[in-house]
Amino acid sequence: MKRYTIEQFMATTSLLGASFSADEKRILFSSNASGIFNAYTLPVDGGTPQSLTRSTLESNFSVSFFPHDDRVLFTRDRGGDENNHLFLREMDGTEKDLTPGDGLKAQFAGWRPDGSAFFVSSNERDSKFFDLYRYDSQTYTRTLLFRNEKGFDLGAISRDERWIALNKSNTASDSDIYLLDIPKQEFKHLTRHEGVISFHAETFDPASQRLFFLTNEGSEFKRLRTYDLITGAIEDQESADWDIVYTYFSRNGRFRITGVNQDGSIVIRVVKDSGAGEKPVTLPALPEGEIRGVTFSESGARMAFYVNGDCSPDNLFVHDFNTGQVRQLTQSLSPEIDPSDLVDAEVVRFRSFDGMVIPSIYYKPHEASAINKVPALVYVHGGPGGQTMRGYNAQIQYLVNHGYAVLGINNRGSSGYGKTFFAAANRKHGREPLWDCVEAKTYLASLDYIDHERIGIMGASYGGYMTLAALAFRPEAFKVGVDIFGVSNWLRTLESIPPYWESVRKAIYHEIGDPVKDIDILVATSPLFHANEIRKPLLVIQGANDPRVTKAESDEIVEAVRRHNVPVEYVVFSDEGHSFTKKKNQIEANRRILEFLDKYLKGGKEKDKAAGEQRNAAC
């Protein structure tokens, strides 16, 4: 097996999005082939991508072709600050900010069926709430459709433009759906209920007669139901033994695409309106992996989608229904990497301290064996309610390629395993979910090819918090920690969450704690106030423009731990936010992670042995 450098891993191209041109001969998508995301087009018959934007400073993400010509919508922020604006690229290549202003955040919200207008949400009027506007496709003049003053999350717009579906979060596990009658500006509450139940509006049917929504009412998992806009009748539409996580219609309304979160992988279902009901669409035979981002051309003759596998990053495909031909348009993995040197993930489960079964995604190095024990990492996802899923992860594959076993834990509170499991972490962060991570270490240590003395913990965002919490509250458990923009002080994070999170502020407080009412709990579970307990080497990585977990979170934990002469390394990227989108920064961050782990985790055993021999000699 060959070892690869981080430069070789980052030579792999990341791709996002797909939109067919009006003539259905090209696809618009985003790619970081240049080292930074830009918008590109590619012929459906294959060929060389053509760049439409050529930014070298800020990431540009494609949104959509205009339905009748080659104009393009795309979005970008400044240095990762998440204040995205919607931009227009005219056919002559000139660009225009359609949502100008400082401190605002805007998002594309769909097309009118005939293409004569499109919809945009923006918080320019009030930074806490997103209003909905309709833009004329020719003049770009806009009309306010909905003034959002009650903290709703905007949902779908019916094709006849009579209805807007609105979602309302009560807690992380409890939510409601409202309908706004646009002409009358009247609200209707659709989901009055008792108890903790999740309701979420997904889309309207093409005839604007039914609303499709997800709910876990009466079930552990979310299923798809419909609400008749005329009669009020509710019917079951689709279900699975796992959560249905989304459904949407193709722009022409003939196809409906549904995603099921099946044990850490998304399984796609596609149906077509036959005139006598929906009938399943047979998907083409494909390389191993999961289908993502399904998009249909206006005529329905072609379907674009991505295929992603554990050892293969997203590649763009086009399926022609008329000919039956499937064409792979991209080859994203670096040509210098042999896929056989990468590793397939495995779904594993272990019992935690109280008997709860914890599902995880596990990567075992090729060279690991009982006579060649390897170090390991517990890898914690963001969230809190996120999920580690199967699929290509360059960071994990890089670490595994260099001899580290990686267990992507889905501790209690993670999505995808039922509402009881999801709610099991509420107001327990820093305790039971952390103890799951400690039990993950015990599970790893039980494997005969894992060196039980060399197990670390790492994660980003909430995973970064869990890393700091592990080092502070269970200092004996892990050998090292890697914290990537993690929360160190819940009080500050909860008080400084972005204003546009107002619609979910109460839900966050319910799950984590209220910074006023629950100050004692939050101090007790914030690693910053217990930094004197941290004794193991720590690496902290932060984006300077992070609006969610501000740089002060990392500054202060680094300073506090260093006071006790604990090895701490600190990396700050001046042009990034709550994720790192630029290849140069991804390369540097992952290089520093591997160097840190090689020094303090992989090399730690030999150093401890030498130190022990010196102590014995001194005695």
Side-chain angles (χ1 to χ4, degrees):
M1 185 200 70
K2 181 180 178 181
R3 302 277 197 212
Y4 297 101
T5 66
I6 186 58
E7 287 81 5
Q8 288 173 307
F9 270 100
M10 289 300 114
T12 292
T13 302
S14 295
L15 307 173
L16 297 168
S19 172
F20 282 95
S21 60
D23 61 10
E24 303 189 7
K25 294 182 178 179
R26 287 156 295 141
I27 295 177
L28 171 73
F29 64 101
S30 306
S31 167
N32 69 348
S34 68
I36 191 168
F37 277 100
N38 276 288
Y40 291 79
T41 61
L42 190 60
V44 296
D45 294 328
T48 302
Q50 176 186 353
S51 61
L52 298 186
T53 64
R54 296 175 175 82
S55 174
T56 59
L57 181 62
E58 304 291 1
S59 293
N60 291 313
F61 296 97
S62 65
V63 172
S64 176
F65 267 118
F66 274 63
H68 303 301
D69 57 56
D70 279 354
R71 287 174 293 166
V72 163
L73 295 174
F74 67 97
T75 184
R76 69 168 175 251
D77 66 6
R78 294 180 180 177
D81 66 3
E82 299 188 12
N83 286 325
N84 298 285
H85 286 211
L86 186 66
F87 288 83
L88 164 75
R89 183 187 185 275
E90 294 279 12
M91 287 186 286
D92 63 3
T94 58
E95 297 177 1
K96 176 183 176 65
D97 186 351
L98 297 177
T99 54
D102 294 327
L104 66 87
K105 184 179 178 71
Q107 186 173 350
F108 177 74
W111 289 99
R112 179 181 275 177
D114 63 6
S116 64
F118 56 94
F119 305 100
V120 178
S121 65
S122 170
N123 67 343
E124 64 184 87
R125 178 188 61 82
D126 184 332
S127 61
K128 295 185 295 184
F129 303 131
F130 287 88
D131 299 330
L132 183 67
Y133 297 87
R134 181 181 62 228
Y135 279 66
D136 184 276
S137 292
Q138 297 302 321
T139 66
Y140 313 124
T141 56
R142 67 179 188 172
T143 303
L144 178 66
L145 290 183
F146 172 49
R147 184 182 175 98
N148 185 8
E149 296 180 312
K150 296 184 179 181
F152 291 111
D153 289 322
L154 300 178
I157 306 155
S158 63
R159 297 191 181 211
D160 63 2
E161 275 180 58
R162 179 178 176 183
W163 305 101
I164 301 175
L166 304 168
N167 295 302
K168 182 76 170 179
S169 296
N170 304 315
T171 70
S173 302
D174 185 73
S175 53
D176 277 296
I177 301 170
Y178 291 76
L179 268 180
L180 172 67
D181 186 319
I182 298 175
K184 297 179 181 180
Q185 288 293 295
E186 293 179 353
F187 294 96
K188 184 175 184 179
H189 186 183
L190 298 189
T191 54
R192 296 186 187 278
H193 65 278
E194 295 181 359
V196 179
I197 304 173
S198 172
F199 294 93
H200 190 273
E202 287 293 302
T203 188
F204 292 93
D205 74 332
S208 299
Q209 294 179 346
R210 293 185 299 162
L211 173 68
F212 286 70
F213 67 96
L214 297 174
T215 182
N216 57 15
E217 184 177 23
S219 171
E220 274 293 312
F221 295 97
K222 296 175 183 177
R223 61 189 184 278
L224 187 64
R225 286 178 167 176
T226 61
Y227 172 86
D228 191 297
L229 297 168
I230 299 173
T231 68
I234 294 177
E235 296 183 358
D236 289 331
Q237 180 73 26
E238 195 170 355
S239 63
D241 294 330
W242 300 89
D243 278 335
I244 293 179
V245 289
Y246 61 78
T247 196
Y248 60 93
F249 284 90
S250 60
R251 210 166 68 80
N252 65 11
R254 299 175 196 168
F255 298 90
R256 186 170 61 83
I257 303 94
T258 298
V260 180
N261 183 348
Q262 184 173 302
D263 206 11
S265 297
I266 299 297
V267 176
I268 296 293
R269 299 173 176 176
V270 181
V271 295
K272 183 178 182 179
D273 184 358
S274 65
E278 294 180 334
K279 292 189 176 181
V281 173
T282 301
L283 299 176
L286 297 165
E288 185 176 352
E290 65 180 42
I291 298 175
R292 300 177 174 180
V294 174
T295 303
F296 284 87
S297 64
E298 176 61 23
S299 69
R302 292 188 174 100
M303 178 179 79
F305 56 93
Y306 289 96
V307 176
N308 181 287
D310 295 335
C311 302
S312 175
D314 285 323
N315 276 302
L316 183 60
F317 287 72
V318 171
H319 174 52
D320 190 311
F321 286 98
N322 293 330
T323 66
Q325 182 182 34
V326 180
R327 185 183 298 273
Q328 180 175 341
L329 301 183
T330 64
Q331 185 54 256
S332 299
L333 187 67
S334 168
E336 296 182 25
I337 294 179
D338 183 343
S340 66
D341 290 329
L342 306 179
V343 299
D344 284 316
E346 176 186 2
V347 178
V348 300
R349 288 173 165 82
F350 63 88
R351 290 194 178 275
S352 194
F353 64 94
D354 58 355
M356 181 173 282
V357 176
I358 307 299
S360 303
I361 309 297
Y362 181 56
Y363 299 79
K364 176 186 176 182
H366 286 300
E367 69 268 33
S369 70
I371 59 174
N372 183 35
K373 296 179 183 292
V374 298
L377 290 162
V378 175
Y379 190 99
V380 191
H381 59 67
Q387 183 184 12
T388 299
M389 306 186 74
R390 292 191 64 166
Y392 186 77
N393 185 309
Q395 182 178 71
I396 290 178
Q397 290 287 357
Y398 174 58
L399 294 174
V400 176
N401 180 252
H402 284 263
Y404 293 90
V406 177
L407 182 77
I409 184 173
N410 285 310
N411 50 273
R412 69 191 67 199
S414 301
S415 300
Y417 304 99
K419 62 185 180 185
T420 301
F421 190 84
F422 179 75
N426 285 352
R427 290 182 173 257
K428 296 178 181 178
H429 301 289
R431 296 182 296 163
E432 283 89 333
L434 172 60
W435 302 341
D436 291 340
C437 294
V438 175
E439 291 301 320
K441 181 215 173 181
T442 302
Y443 167 76
L444 286 168
S446 72
L447 303 176
D448 65 0
Y449 53 83
I450 298 294
D451 186 336
H452 68 277
E453 295 181 1
R454 295 187 292 165
I455 300 176
I457 184 169
M458 72 176 290
S461 193
Y462 177 74
Y465 162 73
M466 290 284 269
T467 296
L468 296 174
L471 297 189
F473 305 135
R474 294 297 299 269
E476 83 291 348
F478 295 98
K479 191 77 172 177
V480 301
V482 177
D483 157 34
I484 306 171
F485 42 80
V487 175
S488 68
N489 180 355
W490 279 120
L491 290 172
R492 176 174 41 229
T493 291
L494 293 170
E495 289 172 345
S496 63
I497 62 176
Y500 48 81
W501 282 16
E502 184 64 26
S503 65
V504 294
R505 180 186 293 272
K506 290 183 179 179
I508 294 172
Y509 286 2
H510 181 270
E511 181 175 2
I512 305 294
D514 187 302
V516 175
K517 299 176 182 178
D518 301 313
I519 186 170
D520 292 340
I521 295 173
L522 296 173
V523 168
T525 56
S526 292
L528 179 63
F529 302 111
H530 309 272
N532 61 312
E533 299 296 330
I534 297 178
R535 289 289 181 267
K536 301 296 175 61
L538 172 66
L539 170 63
V540 178
I541 306 177
Q542 177 72 39
N545 305 315
D546 192 333
R548 307 187 197 187
V549 181
T550 62
K551 182 172 174 288
E553 294 284 317
S554 293
D555 289 344
E556 292 189 2
I557 194 69
V558 167
E559 180 183 358
V561 176
R562 279 178 175 168
R563 288 196 202 108
H564 300 283
N565 297 317
V566 175
V568 181
E569 297 182 10
Y570 190 25
V571 181
V572 178
F573 295 111
S574 63
D575 55 350
E576 298 282 15
H578 198 69
S579 64
F580 305 147
T581 63
K582 301 172 178 65
K583 278 192 178 184
K584 64 180 179 65
N585 296 332
Q586 294 170 346
I587 289 171
E588 178 63 15
N590 284 287
R591 178 190 292 117
R592 292 292 293 272
I593 290 171
L594 185 63
E595 290 174 351
F596 174 83
L597 294 175
D598 284 350
K599 181 177 181 180
Y600 292 108
L601 186 57
K602 185 177 285 186
K605 185 174 183 179
E606 288 73 13
K607 291 184 177 182
D608 288 348
K609 181 179 179 181
E613 291 174 349
Q614 290 178 353
R615 285 194 296 270
N616 291 335
C619 293

